[in-house]
Amino acid sequence: MTFSELGLRDEVLKSITDLGFEAPTPIQQEAIPYLLKSESDFVGLAQTGTGKTAAFGLPLVNNVQSGTRLPQGLVICPTRELCLQISKDLENYSKYDRDTQVVAVYGGTDIRRQMTQVKSATIIVATPGRLVDLINRKAIVLQEVQCVVLDEADEMLNMGFKEDIDMILRQTPEEKNVWLFSATMPKEVAEIAKNYMTNPLEVSIGHKNQGNQNIDHIYYSVKEKDRYAALKRLIDVNPDIFGLVFCRTRHETQSVAEKLSKDGYNAEPLHGDLSQAQRDNVMKRFRERTLQLLVATDVAARGIDVDDITHVIHYQLPDDIENYTHRSGRTARAGKKGESLVLINTREGYKIRSIEKQIRTDFTVGKIPTAQEICGLQLTSLIGKIKDTEVKEKEIEKFLPAIFADFEDFSKEEVIKKFISVEFNRFIDYYGKAGDISTDGGRDSRDRDSRDSRDSRDSRDRDSRGDRGERRERSDRNDEGKTRFFVSIGKRDGLNPGGLLRMICDEAGLTSSHIGKIDVLPTFSFFEADDVHTTKILSTVNGANYEGNQVNVEVTKKKAEPRRSSGGGFGGERRSSGGFGGERKPFGDRERKPFGDRERGGERSSFGGNRGGDRGGFSGGRSSAGGGSRPRRDSYGSK
Ligand code: AMP
């Protein structure tokens, strides 16, 4: 099938030719003819890398032809990265449509400029929090919107954007098309489809939760003490790697990136402690491929859409195995091949089993290459590169007589040896000294491992089912085993649910599956998290910095109570006595009283000794976790 058979306008077809797309991908073949119809609600179950952006972007651009200056197309997506990527793609698709104006709307950047830009937009690509902000400021009118695209709907709901999405959709006309794309179909996503769509066409590319078939999944079992050395070998054995290394926490991310950089690798970290400008800079270099290795946390790497990543390396597996699919999906995009390499210690074999079940694909057992293998491979690669190097005759002409004179006394063999040694000595020096890393490899040993730990694996499997179950149940407010936390900042400090979730996950090294309900209120907020992470949260999130505000976190009461199904909302739940030292008033009263003027030191006493400027009550926990005062960070507010 060719693009010209799909029914797109000539201008759009021309832009496709410019992009070099030859034939539509399967999701494009299914979606585009249908979405070109005037009435079309659509659910696309597709991973990133399948060509889904063009699957909705081409018909969107095709259909939105100006006539009015109000936006007619609206794309909502979870992260700033994705927002920029989609708007760039839409600009490419509409480059021959002079009247089409694509404007990206996302947090963490000057809102006033965006308020001006949206005035001329015909298509808006937005993250939910910032779009709600613009709506509240009456800077944007969505009454002419004919088509709303919800991209990565599962991610948006994971990040706590459900209420924002509902609010946005209420601003759009009753008569419109809604196109929803999601990698997975949890209950909450199905509910959105039910509430906002009429008989949508549902197209699924691959199994709902199945990963990309072009990825080879390989795991390496090593002793914990050898983890970093093993990482280096995996990099060294792939001289042309363009890779993403995942760590679990910001601290680990920073430390691994620093170590790699010190050891001579072209690596940079990406995590929530960096300012937005620093993150943009790192991403720009990675995109341009002047940076070879990006070391990232799960949260910071959300929405990274960079083509041609050859390897995803899991320095540590994510706590939530669903994140494994998100991570590994960064490679093998657009039909290319990729490898997902996992480092586990000898006790983590059961995690591989769980992931295999989840992605319905078997892992291969890898063996960490020996020093000799790596040296041989690097040498071959180096020789290949030297042979392929273009000689810029003209530019070096004038230096050659002196160079030849310098080498007069050397034989051809000696010259070759010298040139190779310039690069290769680094490997000899390192690997000459390095002992070999024993790999606890082989399916046998894993079977042994899994037999030995059958009980723990079974219970872990149950746990992970529980995890997913709980994620699905989140909207049912099944809060068993959750602790509720108070957070000292709220909407007025620029906080939104996504920003809060990002901060918690990033600071505490958790994933969204560990977090329950999030309530961001005008001057303070609440969130729920699994009981087991309470200490971690108090020692890491508490004291963090959100857009210049120090954040205090406190447990409100031991357990989050099951929410009442009938009405009541906050009032019902919070009337019970609680953790702020004293009986709680109904919510409406409390909202401003104890915390409303929380700048005044006296009020702080209610947070358990966290008085005025003295953060002692909490900093104890922080300093034990290596904290202390932190640099200002602007990143969580952005999406
Ligand atoms: P996506 O799934 O939208 O993130 O797209 C993944 C990559 O595939 C992007 O780099 C697109 O530019 C590219 N792509 C999308 N459609 C096609 C196509 N029909 N032919 C070739 N490349 C494509």
Side-chain angles (χ1 to χ4, degrees):
M1 187 180 256
T2 63
F3 276 105
S4 52
E5 293 168 58
L6 301 177
L8 293 159
R9 286 188 282 112
D10 285 348
E11 290 80 0
V12 183
L13 287 174
K14 234 164 105 187
S15 73
I16 296 173
T17 311
D18 290 355
L19 286 168
F21 295 178
E22 282 167 13
T25 65
I27 182 102
Q28 290 163 4
Q29 289 180 24
E30 299 244 20
I32 294 173
Y34 183 79
L35 300 184
L36 289 175
K37 293 185 199 161
S38 57
E39 280 173 28
S40 54
D41 283 345
F42 182 86
V43 174
L45 284 164
Q47 311 262 343
T48 161
T50 52
K52 70 182 166 70
T53 314
F56 67 75
L58 292 170
L60 182 68
V61 161
N62 192 95
N63 292 358
V64 170
Q65 278 176 303
S66 146
T68 153
R69 276 283 95 171
L70 290 176
Q72 295 161 51
L74 174 63
V75 182
I76 313 174
C77 62
T79 63
R80 166 195 165 103
E81 266 293 321
L82 194 57
C83 179
L84 287 167
Q85 181 67 44
I86 295 172
S87 45
K88 203 179 96 218
D89 287 350
L90 296 186
E91 271 164 21
N92 282 335
Y93 307 153
S94 60
K95 76 187 229 208
Y96 295 106
D97 291 320
R98 265 190 308 137
D99 291 334
T100 302
Q101 281 290 329
V102 182
V103 172
V105 162
Y106 49 85
T109 183
D110 183 11
I111 194 164
R112 270 160 307 201
R113 200 159 54 93
Q114 288 179 354
M115 285 165 73
T116 314
Q117 286 172 336
V118 292
K119 291 202 177 359
S120 57
T122 53
I123 298 178
I124 288 182
V125 186
T127 54
R130 178 52 68 94
L131 185 56
V132 165
D133 223 350
L134 288 180
I135 294 170
N136 286 337
R137 289 171 189 237
K138 307 215 178 327
I140 197 162
V141 178
L142 300 177
Q143 275 153 12
E144 299 278 324
V145 166
Q146 297 160 9
C147 177
V148 179
V149 184
L150 301 169
D151 192 22
E152 302 210 350
D154 50 353
E155 250 331 87
M156 288 202 281
L157 296 180
N158 275 343
M159 291 172 79
F161 286 132
K162 167 94 173 67
E163 282 163 24
D164 287 349
I165 292 171
D166 284 336
M167 187 272 195
I168 294 164
L169 289 174
R170 277 200 302 273
Q171 308 295 313
T172 58
E174 192 70 16
E175 291 292 310
K176 62 177 175 289
N177 297 327
V178 179
W179 305 342
L180 180 149
F181 287 79
S182 192
T184 55
M185 187 42 103
K187 204 171 95 187
E188 293 94 329
V189 176
E191 247 163 41
I192 291 214
K194 199 175 103 212
N195 292 344
Y196 294 104
M197 300 181 183
T198 336
N199 293 329
L201 173 70
E202 190 176 313
V203 171
S204 176
I205 299 298
H207 182 274
K208 274 183 200 174
N209 294 316
Q210 188 166 31
N212 180 333
Q213 296 297 294
N214 284 334
I215 304 172
D216 284 336
H217 301 267
I218 306 166
Y219 80 92
Y220 301 84
S221 177
V222 295
K223 293 203 179 85
E224 190 55 47
K225 70 175 175 53
D226 290 331
R227 199 182 281 270
Y228 177 69
L231 169 69
K232 289 206 295 186
R233 289 195 181 197
L234 294 183
I235 298 169
D236 287 341
V237 85
N238 292 291
D240 295 319
I241 187 170
F242 175 52
L244 196 47
V245 179
F246 278 101
C247 297
R248 238 183 340 216
T249 63
R250 284 168 306 115
H251 181 73
E252 186 178 65
T253 304
Q254 182 69 28
S255 135
V256 168
E258 274 174 15
K259 278 199 268 182
L260 285 174
S261 184
K262 215 169 98 220
D263 289 338
Y265 297 86
N266 181 5
E268 289 277 356
L270 184 77
H271 56 69
D273 256 0
L274 306 176
S275 69
Q276 192 63 55
Q278 285 172 311
R279 285 155 55 128
D280 287 349
N281 188 290
V282 169
M283 279 313 300
K284 182 165 175 282
R285 289 183 48 214
F286 191 55
R287 231 181 261 294
E288 289 168 352
R289 303 184 69 129
T290 49
L291 178 64
Q292 193 178 12
L293 295 163
L294 184 66
V295 188
T297 57
D298 287 287
V299 179
R302 274 198 183 129
I304 289 185
D305 271 346
V306 176
D307 284 344
D308 301 325
I309 290 176
T310 58
H311 293 79
V312 168
I313 303 183
H314 309 259
Y315 184 70
Q316 293 275 2
L317 275 173
D319 287 330
D320 178 354
I321 58 173
E322 278 189 21
N323 265 346
Y324 179 83
T325 312
H326 285 290
R327 283 179 174 191
S328 55
R330 306 291 176 209
T331 184
R333 290 158 51 80
K336 307 230 170 70
K337 285 257 171 212
E339 287 186 359
S340 174
L341 312 181
V342 180
L343 285 168
I344 56 168
N345 68 33
T346 45
R347 290 189 306 280
E348 292 176 311
Y350 69 90
K351 292 188 180 175
I352 297 293
R353 276 289 164 93
S354 300
I355 295 173
E356 283 180 332
K357 261 196 233 159
Q358 159 102 3
I359 63 174
R360 301 178 182 216
T361 306
D362 280 345
F363 272 78
T364 310
V365 188
K367 192 172 160 301
I368 296 292
T370 63
Q372 211 180 347
E373 282 164 349
I374 291 176
C375 287
L377 207 130
Q378 284 286 349
L379 200 49
T380 315
S381 157
L382 184 58
I383 292 166
K385 274 185 198 148
I386 294 176
K387 279 163 86 181
D388 290 345
T389 297
E390 178 201 358
V391 176
K392 302 203 164 151
E393 298 280 358
K394 267 188 96 164
E395 285 82 352
I396 60 169
E397 205 173 36
K398 59 175 181 279
F399 304 107
L400 286 178
I403 294 171
F404 289 146
D406 265 351
F407 280 101
E408 213 169 44
D409 297 334
F410 290 81
S411 68
K412 176 184 160 192
E413 285 73 20
E414 281 170 328
V415 173
I416 291 176
K417 280 194 272 181
K418 289 259 177 215
F419 269 84
I420 281 177
S421 300
V422 172
E423 260 297 299
F424 194 55
N425 279 358
R426 177 162 78 91
F427 291 97
I428 296 175
D429 288 349
Y430 176 67
Y431 284 113
K433 277 181 257 149
D436 267 337
I437 296 173
S438 66
T439 307
D440 184 35
R443 201 153 271 270
D444 287 343
S445 70
R446 190 183 52 165
D447 286 346
R448 192 177 58 240
D449 170 57
S450 58
R451 264 199 306 282
D452 287 347
S453 60
R454 178 153 313 205
D455 287 346
S456 75
R457 195 188 73 228
D458 286 352
S459 70
R460 198 53 84 104
D461 282 349
R462 266 197 305 281
D463 284 348
S464 60
R465 267 199 302 278
D467 251 354
R468 291 200 296 281
E470 181 231 278
R471 181 190 282 235
R472 276 197 295 275
E473 294 303 318
R474 193 177 295 163
S475 68
D476 291 341
R477 313 288 185 227
N478 182 358
D479 293 324
E480 283 293 298
K482 289 254 190 286
T483 296
R484 188 166 177 81
F485 295 84
F486 163 81
V487 182
S488 62
I489 60 169
K491 273 188 195 145
R492 284 183 205 165
D493 305 295
L495 191 67
N496 59 37
L500 180 54
L501 180 70
R502 185 189 290 255
M503 176 172 69
I504 302 162
C505 292
D506 229 3
E507 293 289 341
L510 300 176
T511 61
S512 54
S513 68
H514 300 120
I515 312 301
K517 176 151 173 58
I518 293 178
D519 297 319
V520 176
L521 302 162
T523 55
F524 54 90
S525 312
F526 295 95
F527 68 90
E528 292 166 3
D530 293 345
D531 283 345
V532 287
H533 299 303
T534 302
T535 314
K536 205 192 299 180
I537 288 171
L538 288 178
S539 66
T540 53
V541 188
N542 182 38
N545 190 308
Y546 185 92
E547 303 205 345
N549 299 298
Q550 173 149 352
V551 178
N552 294 318
V553 176
E554 191 187 354
V555 172
T556 61
K557 55 186 164 180
K558 189 64 202 106
K559 287 260 188 257
E561 289 173 2
R563 207 159 293 244
R564 294 173 188 189
S565 52
S566 63
F570 289 127
E573 183 196 354
R574 295 181 191 192
R575 236 171 282 132
S576 57
S577 72
F580 297 118
E583 217 211 307
R584 296 195 186 183
K585 300 204 169 137
F587 187 71
D589 276 349
R590 273 201 311 117
E591 184 164 346
R592 272 174 198 82
K593 274 199 173 161
F595 312 114
D597 44 3
R598 59 200 154 80
E599 271 63 38
R600 278 195 284 119
E603 298 291 359
R604 291 276 181 193
S605 58
S606 58
F607 302 136
N610 195 25
R611 209 172 256 281
D614 172 22
R615 313 271 181 214
F618 293 105
S619 61
R622 287 209 66 70
S623 59
S624 67
S629 72
R630 295 182 167 218
R632 182 193 154 89
R633 182 183 48 213
D634 292 328
S635 52
Y636 294 127
S638 62
K639 286 159 278 292

